């Protein structure tokens, strides 16, 4: 009987030998460095162009920087510029961004220059999207194309995993984010060998990407908020409530997303959809102020420098306006990702909670708000926890976030995502 039980017991998948993993190190490191340099290059170029468009040009014309007039002009002009790229450049800047998530398809090389140009123009022009989706897509396309040409023995799926991991490492400045995303994507999929065998090469690519970004760009996510003191029941309650409110607010945008997308699709042409989207974003920018423009990372740092500098009403306005701007920008055709602007929305929500209830510590409110918002927008549990935790850089916060993630996850799981199928129906 015992022998039969032993024979029926599940066996552990055999580990990959070291000789099978060693040849993957060099390709992983190359992909990591190149992916990071491309991300940094696009980011720096967009920042330079942003300075010209939003500072030098209005100064030369005698128009106030970030004035209402200039917001309308620049965001509409950005819609026209990106619309021209989508219309005329070979490849049309890739597929409809509303249908794309972090897991990018391997796009053909002809698409990549237009996608990169559209993303750079978007980042400089002010729409509320981040660089992650288009940069991942470009890096994946380059890695698959070049990898198959020069190292044909490796499977195409490996190049995709390396490029995705490398770009996530470069974006977040640490390979941990990439490891968490890949681990989550592998859940439920048949894999050969141990989990860490499958993570070995992507983790090397992510580490190379993160180190390269740190060496040449020195980006950080830590907001340097006032440190969290000794936690008590009030902090636990605050984290649960703020994360749940963030999740519910994010789901409002998720449910509105297919309707907004359908409305813009009725215009049928990128030279109508994108300029009209830019015009709507200009109106939202006029309502929410200049802090609600762009991808949001520099803006959350400004909010965190003075958590008491705005009223609860102002924080609430920025929260709602930024979330609306994210939904509009993502649905009208601008090429960009949703994580970074969602971080701004969660930050503003957390600081609004602090302004309403002084007992809510800023770091607790921000971390919980970002967690709930990212869970709704991305449906990536590990990325949501990780991003919320690194913003406040406190081990104590991680325990609060793990507790707060439970009710927030119950509010979002099984519901539509902020991503559409090709036919316009929501992804579940």
């Amino acid at each position: 009987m015992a022998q039969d039980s032993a024979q029926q017991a599940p066996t552990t998948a055999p580990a990959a030998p070291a000789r099978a993993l060693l040849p993957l190190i060099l390709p992983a490191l190359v992909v990591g460095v190149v992916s990071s340099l491309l991300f940094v290059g696009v980011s720096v170029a967009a920042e330079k162009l942003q300075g010209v468009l939003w500072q030098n040009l209005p100064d030369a014309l005698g128009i106030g920087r970030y004035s209402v007039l200039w917001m309308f002009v620049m965001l509409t002009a950005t819609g026209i510029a990106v619309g021209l790229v989508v219309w005329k450049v070979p490849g049309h800047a890739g597929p409809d961004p509303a249908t794309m998530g972090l897991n990018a398809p391997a796009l053909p090389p002809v698409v990549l220059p237009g996608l990169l140009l559209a993303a750079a123009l978007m980042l400089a022009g002010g729409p509320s999207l981040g660089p992650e989706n288009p940069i991942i897509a470009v890096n994946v396309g380059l890695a698959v194309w070049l990898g198959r040409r020069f190292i044909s023995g490796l499977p195409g799926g490996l190049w995709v995993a390396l490029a995705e991991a490398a770009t996530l490492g470069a974006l977040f400045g640490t390979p941990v984010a990439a490891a968490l995303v890949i681990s989550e994507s592998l859940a439920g999929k048949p894999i050969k060998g141990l989990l860490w065998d499958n993570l070995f090469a992507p983790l090397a690519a992510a580490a190379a990407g993160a180190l390269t970004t740190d060496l040449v760009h020195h980006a950080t996510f830590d907001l340097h908020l006032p440190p969290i003191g000794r936690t008590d029941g009030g902090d636990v309650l605050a984290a649960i409530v703020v994360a749940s409110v963030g999740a519910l607010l994010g789901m409002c945008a998720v449910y509105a997303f297919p309707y907004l997308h359908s409305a813009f699709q009725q215009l049928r042409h990128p030279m109508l959809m994108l300029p009209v989207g830019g015009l709507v974003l200009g109106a939202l920018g006029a309502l929410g102020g200049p802090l609600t423009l762009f991808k949001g990372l520099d803006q959350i740092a400004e909010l965190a420098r003075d958590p008491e500098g705005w009223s609860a009403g102002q924080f609430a306005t920025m929260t709602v306006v930024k979330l609306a701007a994210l939904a509009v920008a993502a649905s009208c055709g601008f090429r960009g990702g949703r994580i970074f602007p969602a971080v701004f929305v969660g930050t503003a929500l957390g600081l609004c909670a602090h302004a309403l209830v002084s007992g809510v510590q800023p770091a607790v409110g921000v971390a919980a708000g970002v967690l709930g918002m990212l869970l709704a927008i991305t449906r990536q549990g590990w990325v949501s926890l990780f991003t919320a935790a690194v913003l406040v850089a406190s081990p104590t916060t991680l325990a609060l976030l793990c507790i707060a993630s439970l009710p927030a996850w119950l509010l979002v799981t099984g519901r539509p995502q902020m991503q559409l199928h090709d036919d316009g129906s929501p992804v579940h």
Side-chain angles (χ1 to χ4, degrees):
M1 193 73 177
Q3 185 176 4
D4 292 341
S5 300
Q7 290 175 349
Q8 296 173 2
T11 57
T12 303
R19 65 178 179 274
L21 299 177
L22 283 173
L24 304 178
I25 294 178
L26 182 58
L29 295 179
V30 171
V31 170
V33 172
V34 172
S35 296
S36 173
L37 291 176
L38 189 143
F39 160 63
V40 172
V42 171
S43 299
V44 171
E47 288 172 5
K48 298 292 186 183
L49 181 58
Q50 178 184 328
V52 172
L53 296 177
W54 289 90
Q55 297 176 18
N56 299 348
L57 190 55
D59 287 351
L61 295 173
I63 301 173
R65 297 180 180 182
Y66 301 101
S67 63
V68 170
L69 172 61
W70 197 244
M71 287 183 194
F72 274 103
V73 169
M74 278 311 309
L75 285 159
T76 304
T78 301
I80 293 171
V82 176
L84 283 170
V85 174
V86 175
W87 180 27
K88 290 295 188 180
V89 173
H92 306 290
D96 184 349
T99 65
M100 295 181 65
L102 288 178
N103 297 322
L107 299 174
V110 69
V111 176
L112 306 184
L115 178 56
L116 208 58
L117 178 59
L121 291 171
M122 181 279 300
L123 290 171
S128 294
L129 292 173
E132 61 274 16
N133 287 19
I135 296 297
I136 289 174
V138 171
N139 281 334
V140 166
L142 281 175
V144 171
W145 178 52
L146 294 175
R148 285 175 174 171
R149 286 174 64 89
F150 295 104
I151 311 178
S152 58
L154 296 180
L158 177 63
W159 294 111
V160 172
L162 292 180
E164 288 181 350
T167 311
L168 288 169
L171 284 163
F172 289 98
T174 170
V176 177
L180 293 174
V181 171
I182 295 171
S183 298
E184 194 165 8
S185 68
L186 290 175
K189 294 182 180 179
I191 60 174
K192 295 181 179 180
L194 302 178
L195 175 63
W196 274 95
D197 290 338
N198 289 270
L199 288 177
F200 181 83
L203 193 59
L211 287 173
T212 302
T213 299
D214 186 56
L215 288 172
V216 302
H217 202 48
H218 309 291
T220 179
F221 274 72
D222 187 3
L223 296 180
H224 304 290
L225 288 164
I228 299 175
R230 185 174 181 179
T231 58
D232 54 24
D235 294 319
V236 176
L237 178 61
I240 291 173
V241 171
V242 175
S244 298
V245 171
L248 289 172
L249 192 60
M251 288 307 302
C252 292
V254 170
Y255 277 110
F257 187 61
Y259 296 101
L260 284 170
H261 181 264
S262 177
F264 281 109
Q265 289 298 311
Q266 296 301 315
L267 299 175
R268 298 185 180 276
H269 198 284
M271 286 304 294
L272 291 175
M273 291 188 293
L274 284 151
V276 170
L279 192 64
V280 175
L281 291 174
L284 289 170
L287 180 62
L291 285 178
T292 59
L293 302 177
F294 305 105
K295 63 184 179 183
L297 284 189
D298 293 336
Q299 290 71 29
I300 63 170
E302 187 170 342
L303 292 180
R305 278 195 291 269
D306 186 13
E308 316 293 337
W310 291 267
S311 67
Q314 289 173 312
F315 281 126
T317 299
M318 286 189 281
T319 300
V320 174
V321 167
K322 186 70 171 182
L323 186 59
L326 164 58
V328 169
S331 60
C332 73
F334 283 109
R335 272 50 179 173
R338 299 149 207 160
I339 291 179
F340 291 162
V343 169
F344 179 96
V345 178
T347 299
L349 175 64
L351 294 176
C352 178
H354 168 68
L356 286 171
V357 182
S358 60
V360 177
Q361 300 187 63
V364 173
V366 166
V370 169
L371 171 67
M373 187 58 58
L374 285 178
L375 284 175
I377 298 298
T378 70
R379 217 55 55 87
Q380 297 270 353
W382 283 124
V383 167
S384 303
L385 273 170
F386 171 81
T387 305
V390 298
L391 289 174
V392 298
S394 169
T396 306
T397 310
L398 190 56
L400 292 174
L401 292 175
C402 288
I403 296 171
S405 68
L406 303 178
W409 182 253
L410 291 176
L411 292 170
V412 304
T413 186
R415 303 185 187 279
Q417 301 181 32
M418 190 175 265
Q419 185 177 346
L420 304 178
H421 294 291
D422 290 337
D423 62 1
S425 61
V427 174
H428 283 77

